[in-house]
Amino acid sequence: MDPEFHRIRRLPPYVFEQVNSLKAKARARGEDIIDFGMGNPDLPTPKHIVDKLVETVADPRTHRYSVSRGIPGLRRAQAAYYARRFGVELDPEREVIATLGSKEGLANLAQAITAPGDTILVPNPSYPIHPYGFIIAGAAIRSLPPIGPGQDFMTVLERATRHSVPMPTAIVLNYPSNPTAEVVDLDFYGPIVEFCRAKGIYILSDLAYSEIYFDGNPPPSILQIPGAKDIAVEFTSMSKTYSMPGWRMGFAVGNPKLIQALGRMKSYLDYGAFTPIQVAATAALNGPQDCVEEARQIYKSRRDVLIPGLADAGWKVPSPPATMFAWAPIPPAFAHLGSLEFSKRLLTEAKVAVAPGLGFGEYGDSHVRIALVENEHRIRQAVRNIKRFLAAADPAASEKKVVA
């Protein structure tokens, strides 16, 4: 047998694939699987954005190679978004670049700034590209575990930095968090920026869920902190905000040195997104924003069906303040299984697919992630299925009064 390729050897088996395989086999048998596994928005892209794409694609001049950094109008539109949403001024030429989704941007920046053996600080659990983008680039990952009782993030960060050799090159932050849905306020970022500036550590902030928030608390940008642009770059995505996941359009903004490094890497690897997609994305950013609020309210309504429903079924899950995910602790009767086996049981016995927390890091193995990507009718059906599943596994639990 041929030896496995070097970079592939550093990637573990894809945990989610085991659940996906079971899901595909069940559907092939004709089973109705309610799929909360992948964070794949099911809402249609707003009509005015699609109309602009159709209008633009009719012009054959737009079919040629595009611009890897993003067309100027799109970069100006993203800068305007940061100005009105966060009060952050950006130079569209030096501090904004379009990416093929935030995932591609982070992975290519990791390739640009990382040398083999560099240390990168990454929260655990976290979205897989956060550690693996750097692992593919040859870096060593130091995990920042969940904050324990009596701790704060700075305690965890300082300890990890003190015990890292060499000094970390960069840290990844992701709030609102995928998968945990944790949010932070602007004060959270101040000490981190001050510490990383003093230590010469770059900050990569993933703000993909900047507009999917509930209860009237818009998430801040790290670039609102004075001096953050000296060391930080921030990634955003149009996938969730405008229900454009398959369009693959995102941005990196902030530190000019990091933006230049990403631009240089991309210039060797791609010609940018299809020009009509970039024009339509410009129309999305510059156009009416009521579609963003409508999507936000749909996700909120789904959350408000799912969380009380699960509580009534005997599964207490914290209500997410943002993102399109609920981070659900495995019910005590199943805690010994771990997230992968529990997810398999949920799929085969309740016909509900979720993402095992282990896929987001070993510290996520006590949870599963539930994506709000089915309509309210399907969510209610899933809750009924889960209630029967939990009652069958632990009949005594169905008799207990559960308070949401």
Side-chain angles (χ1 to χ4, degrees):
M1 180 181 292
D2 291 335
E4 196 170 22
F5 297 117
H6 167 68
R7 294 193 191 280
I8 301 299
R9 283 203 306 271
R10 299 202 70 197
L11 300 176
Y14 199 53
V15 170
F16 304 119
E17 185 53 38
Q18 296 188 46
V19 176
N20 290 340
S21 177
L22 284 176
K23 180 174 63 181
K25 291 175 182 176
R27 284 180 166 164
R29 294 192 297 268
E31 296 180 19
D32 180 22
I33 303 298
I34 301 172
D35 192 357
F36 298 137
M38 185 177 180
N40 191 3
D42 62 313
L43 305 180
T45 305
K47 184 177 183 300
H48 70 281
I49 302 173
V50 176
D51 287 347
K52 178 56 71 172
L53 174 73
V54 172
E55 173 193 328
T56 310
V57 81
D59 182 352
R61 291 175 299 178
T62 66
H63 300 178
R64 306 182 72 179
Y65 289 128
S66 191
V67 182
S68 181
R69 299 170 55 228
I71 60 176
L74 178 58
R75 285 182 276 117
R76 287 194 296 269
Q78 177 69 352
Y81 161 73
Y82 260 79
R84 66 176 180 265
R85 172 70 163 79
F86 303 111
V88 171
E89 297 297 325
L90 295 168
D91 179 351
E93 290 298 316
R94 299 172 58 249
E95 298 176 334
V96 179
I97 191 169
T99 62
L100 304 178
S102 57
K103 185 175 182 178
E104 173 270 324
L106 191 140
N108 277 328
L109 184 59
Q111 294 284 346
I113 69 173
T114 306
D118 283 356
T119 300
I120 308 296
L121 304 176
V122 182
N124 187 336
S126 68
Y127 185 52
I129 197 62
H130 295 159
Y132 287 108
F134 285 98
I135 287 172
I136 292 168
I141 300 300
R142 185 173 187 91
S143 292
L144 301 176
I147 298 169
Q151 291 184 322
D152 59 22
F153 186 83
M154 286 306 303
T155 302
V156 174
L157 174 57
E158 289 169 356
R159 179 183 298 124
T161 304
R162 186 166 60 249
H163 294 291
S164 293
V165 178
M167 177 68 67
T169 300
I171 179 174
V172 178
L173 301 176
N174 174 213
Y175 300 101
S177 170
N178 176 10
T180 70
E182 183 182 1
V183 296
V184 297
D185 58 22
L186 189 58
D187 289 343
F188 171 85
Y189 289 121
I192 298 173
V193 169
E194 182 179 357
F195 178 83
C196 290
R197 286 180 71 193
K199 299 289 186 180
I201 300 172
Y202 288 121
I203 300 174
L204 280 59
S205 170
D206 184 345
L207 194 60
Y209 295 90
S210 60
E211 302 307 324
I212 309 300
Y213 59 88
F214 316 121
D215 310 321
N217 294 310
S221 162
I222 195 171
L223 298 181
Q224 293 174 254
I225 299 296
K229 273 200 283 188
D230 293 344
I231 53 166
V233 67
E234 190 158 69
F235 296 91
T236 56
S237 169
M238 302 191 77
S239 296
K240 279 73 179 182
T241 303
Y242 296 99
S243 302
M244 296 168 62
W247 299 55
R248 307 313 303 134
M249 181 54 62
F251 301 93
V253 305
N255 178 263
K257 183 177 179 180
L258 293 177
I259 297 300
Q260 181 185 34
L262 176 56
R264 186 169 183 185
M265 182 66 69
K266 283 175 61 62
S267 71
Y268 283 93
L269 298 174
D270 69 69
Y271 286 108
F274 186 35
T275 297
I277 290 178
Q278 297 194 49
V279 173
T282 304
L285 288 165
N286 290 339
Q289 300 299 302
D290 48 343
C291 59
V292 179
E293 176 61 24
E294 288 170 11
R296 188 182 297 133
Q297 290 304 318
I298 288 171
Y299 289 126
K300 182 178 187 295
S301 295
R302 292 176 179 181
R303 177 199 70 169
D304 293 343
V305 170
L306 176 70
I307 300 303
L310 289 177
D312 181 65
W315 189 1
K316 295 188 71 174
V317 175
S319 182
T323 77
M324 55 194 293
F325 305 114
W327 186 235
I330 299 173
F334 300 90
H336 65 285
L337 294 176
S339 62
L340 181 56
E341 291 306 314
F342 175 68
S343 297
K344 292 178 180 179
R345 289 277 301 271
L346 207 58
L347 179 67
T348 56
E349 299 178 39
K351 311 306 177 188
V352 174
V354 298
L358 181 62
F360 303 98
E362 65 270 28
Y363 290 107
D365 198 26
S366 59
H367 288 68
V368 296
R369 192 193 70 177
I370 304 173
L372 302 171
V373 293
E374 296 269 11
N375 63 39
E376 292 179 27
H377 169 75
R378 297 280 283 170
I379 291 173
R380 291 189 178 94
Q381 179 62 52
V383 166
R384 289 192 292 270
N385 293 1
I386 290 169
K387 188 172 186 177
R388 286 194 293 269
F389 163 67
L390 294 177
D394 183 9
S398 63
E399 301 173 4
K400 296 176 184 177
K401 176 68 174 177
V402 179
V403 179

